[in-house]
Amino acid sequence: MCYRTRLNAKLEDIEKSFDAYFEEKERYQPSEEINGFAHSSYPVIVDESPGEIQFYSWGLIPFWAKDRKIQKATLNAKVETLDEKPSYRNSVQKRCLVLADGFYEWQWLDPKGKAKQKFVIKPQDQDIFALAGIYSLWNDPETGEELGTYSIVTTEANELMSEIHNTKKRMPIVLREQDRNRWLTNEDYSSFAFPYETNLVASKC
């Protein structure tokens, strides 16, 4: 799965990489490690505004949710069951790019996971890249505030990620640069499922 990412690049480099601009530049804070369970605001590009980089909260909240409690269970969405799960099926055609310059995974070194090795993973050919995401706009019934939220879409692990994420054998869909627009324009997502390949490299932390 994918619960921690990295986005430590300069704001100008991110804008150049995606030919998009930050809607609220002052909100961008470079970070070596972003914890999904903090549900903090994170830079994304949504299909309706491909030229803008906005801030959405990690952990998708479907429109029917009464509160934010569901977020802890919706950090990741399996591509194989997107249209089956109640939390996601209304967001299947709401696509976003989750911006990153790395993501983290832990390899279990013993059967119970008491000893682990942390890795940072990224594509060889992209300094700043996009993870496939889906999103939802949710209205907080208490405050009336509209909140943008998202999930990172995962698929079956490729060979490299099977060695690292050696328990659940999953990985986020890391989009090739030429496939970013394909994802945003709602092309059939089955074409992005395993064995969808990206030239990934992993380094021990």
Side-chain angles (χ1 to χ4, degrees), residues 121-160:
I121 301 115
K122 65 183 299 295
Q124 284 185 329
D125 57 350
Q126 298 181 74
D127 291 329
I128 307 168
F129 58 95
L131 302 173
I134 57 173
Y135 71 95
S136 174
L137 297 176
W138 176 73
N139 289 303
D140 188 326
E142 294 186 1
T143 66
E145 175 191 11
E146 184 178 68
L147 181 67
T149 63
Y150 71 91
S151 292
I152 290 174
V153 181
T154 67
T155 186
E156 185 178 345
N158 62 17
E159 184 177 356
L160 172 66

Side-chain angles (χ1 to χ4, degrees), residues 17-81:
S17 294
F18 289 89
D19 192 23
Y21 67 92
F22 276 89
E23 192 175 54
E24 301 172 278
K25 295 182 187 294
E26 70 280 359
R27 293 183 63 184
Y28 174 60
Q29 298 292 328
S31 179
E32 276 292 332
E33 188 168 329
I34 297 99
N35 182 351
F37 289 99
H39 310 302
S40 55
S41 295
Y42 191 93
V44 301
I45 296 174
V46 302
D47 51 8
E48 294 184 350
S49 303
E52 298 178 11
I53 301 172
Q54 302 179 58
F55 289 87
Y56 279 34
S57 178
W58 192 350
L60 188 146
I61 307 177
F63 74 90
W64 44 260
K66 295 181 179 179
D67 53 44
R68 298 184 62 162
K69 293 179 181 178
I70 196 172
Q71 275 192 294
K72 62 184 180 182
T74 58
L75 299 179
N76 292 168
K78 290 184 177 182
V79 71
E80 299 92 338
T81 56

Side-chain angles (χ1 to χ4, degrees), residues 97-138:
L97 306 179
V98 181
L99 313 189
D101 54 28
F103 65 93
Y104 295 97
E105 193 52 76
W106 282 258
Q107 180 185 55
W108 283 25
L109 303 179
D110 63 72
K112 295 186 177 180
K114 292 183 178 180
K116 299 179 182 179
Q117 174 62 58
K118 185 179 181 181
F119 286 85
V120 60
I121 301 115
K122 65 183 299 295
Q124 284 185 329
D125 57 350
Q126 298 181 74
D127 291 329
I128 307 168
F129 58 95
L131 302 173
I134 57 173
Y135 71 95
S136 174
L137 297 176
W138 176 73

Side-chain angles (χ1 to χ4, degrees), residues 6-18:
R6 182 183 72 187
L7 187 56
N8 201 36
K10 293 180 180 178
L11 182 148
E12 297 81 7
D13 292 338
I14 298 171
E15 291 183 326
K16 183 178 180 181
S17 294
F18 289 89

